[in-house]
Amino acid sequence: MAHHVLLLPGDGIGPEIVAQARRVLECLIEHHGLQMTMEEAPFGGAGYDAEGHPLPESTLEKARTADAILLGAVGGPQYDTLDRPLRPERGLLGIRSALGLFANIRPAMLFEELVESSTLKSDVVAGLDIVIVRELTGGMYFGQPRGIETRDDERVGFNTMVYSESEIRRIANAAFDIAEKRGGRVCSVDKANVLECSELWREIVVEEAAKRSSITLEHMYVDNAAMQLIRAPKAFDVIVTENLFGDILSDAASMLSGSIGMLPSASLNEASAGLYEPVHGSAPDIAGQDKANPLATILSSAMMLRYSLGESALADKVEAAVKSVLAKGLRTADIATDNNAIGTRAMGDAVVSELQSIGQ
Ligand code: NAD
């Protein structure tokens, strides 16, 4: 049966980069026997413009029935003054929550062709291949109570970091599953010396790890983890952490690999239906200028083929095509070291052309 994929281009550079990923998927349909249908729906700021809400009901309905979702990015300065529940980022939180997407998987790897793009010394980052597993539906971003209120004649802002045992067990096991297919080493990142929430996190992660003889578990406080990620990133294999810490650490890890424009991500639920998206945002500063790097989105579509659609061989082909394009020296501006940068569309052309020539 054909897979069905929902495309959510979103805002800013989103439509430009999703268009290139779509061409790559169309090439797989045309030349490599992929059985798949695709449709698009408005989401984020585009959802607000079309239907007055960042996650329109019709988009959510399509998302619920799709086998997987490929998202560009959401947000832009024109939406920053909207009421909070109508802002594009709320659409993102809403879809993650509605689909139960609790596990965010962010590989941080460095294509050897791009070793010079990293701001770190090449011996620190060459061959980097780590995965950050971030809990996505709990913690500070969803915890109640939250708000801004007046206390003693001044305004006070507050949020709550909260995790239940079952939420911790679920994300720990998602990380262990991934680690078992790699080096088997998991570093759980918390702040157990200060936060009770982290104390429970650590206790439950230890309990779950004890059930798996193949897993070597270590713990690190988040401030130390931030340092170690920059000092010796290759020492990690899989990092598992809660929502807020993961948000920050995964962006730091993205810089290890040269450009945020290269990094894909997956968010999975228990049924392994997933939402796939580049790590970066909507980059309003370069939107509509054919400057955005589409490779993170194209690599996200490869993750989608592998994790949600069971098409690992095709995922390998997409990744091989990206690698060949880089080996030929083609670069968008964000990863270029000279003045010969190519545009978004030309990068899409190059990947499609490689895919056409890779054995069918
Ligand atoms: P950003 O990731 O959009 O941009 C940061 C910098 O990286 C910018 O200089 C941008 O030009 C560059 N950049 C990002 N993606 C690139 C690409 N593919 N190719 C080349 N350069 C790229 O982060 P920001 O500026 O903090 O946020 C901009 C908007 O995106 C905000 O509205 C924010 O809320 C939103 N945002 C959305 C998501 C998402 O949709 N998942 C994630 C983060 C930020």
Side-chain angles (χ1 to χ4, degrees), residues 13 73-76 89 92 260-261 277 279-286 291-293 334:
I13 60 170
V74 299
E89 293 75 9
L92 211 48
I260 203 164
E277 57 178 319
V279 165
H280 59 73
S282 59
D285 53 332
I286 55 167
K291 282 187 183 162
N293 185 346
D334 56 312

Side-chain angles (χ1 to χ4, degrees), residues 3 5-7 17-28 34 36 38 68-72 107 262-267 274-279 294-319 321-322 351-352 355:
H3 310 293
V5 166
L6 179 66
L7 303 176
I17 53 181
V18 168
Q20 300 315 313
R22 181 177 193 140
R23 293 176 61 218
V24 165
L25 292 167
E26 281 165 352
C27 176
L28 293 178
L34 175 62
M36 192 172 91
M38 292 184 267
I69 302 157
L70 184 65
L71 166 70
M262 290 300 302
L263 291 172
S265 79
S267 304
L275 175 79
Y276 297 81
E277 57 178 319
V279 165
L295 293 179
T297 315
I298 290 172
L299 291 168
S300 299
S301 70
M303 286 185 86
M304 174 178 84
L305 290 162
R306 181 174 291 119
Y307 288 113
S308 285
L309 306 183
E311 302 279 4
S312 290
L314 293 181
D316 291 345
K317 284 184 182 177
V318 172
E319 287 163 358
V322 169
V351 177
V352 167
L355 261 184

Side-chain angles (χ1 to χ4, degrees), residues 27-360:
C27 176
L28 293 178
I29 292 169
E30 202 176 325
H31 297 281
H32 295 276
L34 175 62
Q35 304 268 316
M36 192 172 91
T37 54
M38 292 184 267
E39 69 175 324
E40 290 190 10
F43 181 64
Y48 175 78
D49 291 340
E51 305 199 24
H53 196 277
L55 176 54
E57 197 50 50
S58 58
T59 298
L60 181 58
E61 213 33 61
K62 287 175 182 162
R64 285 190 202 283
T65 53
D67 296 312
I69 302 157
L70 184 65
L71 166 70
V74 299
Q78 68 272 44
Y79 305 112
D80 286 349
T81 49
L82 289 175
D83 283 349
R84 219 161 266 282
L86 295 178
R87 291 194 195 160
E89 293 75 9
R90 282 299 173 97
L92 211 48
L93 298 183
I95 199 167
R96 286 172 183 163
S97 170
L99 300 183
L101 302 172
F102 71 94
N104 183 231
I105 300 164
R106 294 196 189 189
M109 54 186 294
L110 185 58
F111 284 90
E112 58 192 70
E113 292 80 4
L114 291 183
V115 84
E116 295 306 323
S117 318
S118 175
T119 49
L120 274 78
K121 293 190 183 114
S122 57
D123 60 317
V124 175
V125 287
L128 178 77
D129 178 10
I130 65 177
V131 175
I132 298 187
V133 179
R134 165 188 169 197
E135 203 290 329
L136 207 55
T137 52
M140 188 87 95
Y141 292 176
F142 293 93
Q144 295 289 347
R146 62 188 295 162
I148 301 173
E149 65 186 30
T150 301
R151 295 179 194 166
D152 298 330
D153 291 333
E154 66 171 343
R155 287 186 307 149
V156 174
F158 55 97
N159 292 86
T160 304
M161 184 184 277
V162 53
Y163 272 106
S164 66
E165 288 184 41
S166 57
E167 284 175 307
I168 303 167
R169 278 185 219 289
R170 189 171 66 164
I171 193 71
N173 282 297
F176 297 158
D177 288 346
I178 289 170
E180 278 176 346
K181 299 189 189 99
R182 300 171 42 96
R185 290 183 300 113
V186 174
C187 177
S188 171
V189 171
D190 61 37
K191 190 72 183 168
N193 51 342
V194 178
L195 303 173
E196 286 79 1
C197 187
S198 281
E199 220 176 284
L200 180 69
W201 175 281
R202 192 175 280 219
E203 190 184 313
I204 302 297
V205 172
V206 168
E207 268 178 39
E208 291 305 303
K211 299 174 189 163
R212 307 230 195 178
S213 56
S214 54
I215 296 295
T216 308
L217 177 68
E218 65 166 331
H219 306 275
M220 206 177 272
Y221 296 136
V222 61
D223 40 352
N224 186 24
M227 281 198 290
Q228 299 308 325
L229 257 183
I230 308 302
R231 194 185 70 84
K234 287 190 276 183
F236 293 104
D237 178 12
V238 174
I239 292 175
V240 62
T241 191
E242 64 90 47
N243 204 344
L244 170 64
F245 299 160
D247 193 2
I248 298 166
L249 291 182
S250 53
D251 268 20
S254 72
M255 273 296 103
L256 302 173
S257 54
S259 168
I260 203 164
M262 290 300 302
L263 291 172
S265 79
S267 304
L268 304 178
N269 61 20
E270 277 164 297
S272 76
L275 175 79
Y276 297 81
E277 57 178 319
V279 165
H280 59 73
S282 59
D285 53 332
I286 55 167
Q289 300 172 37
D290 194 41
K291 282 187 183 162
N293 185 346
L295 293 179
T297 315
I298 290 172
L299 291 168
S300 299
S301 70
M303 286 185 86
M304 174 178 84
L305 290 162
R306 181 174 291 119
Y307 288 113
S308 285
L309 306 183
E311 302 279 4
S312 290
L314 293 181
D316 291 345
K317 284 184 182 177
V318 172
E319 287 163 358
V322 169
K323 202 170 158 51
S324 313
V325 162
L326 294 172
K328 286 183 175 165
L330 297 172
R331 306 275 187 272
T332 43
D334 56 312
I335 49 174
T337 46
D338 55 29
N339 290 327
N340 292 332
I342 61 170
T344 311
R345 167 111 201 157
M347 185 55 98
D349 287 344
V351 177
V352 167
S353 152
E354 283 299 325
L355 261 184
Q356 282 167 345
S357 61
I358 287 176
Q360 299 185 14

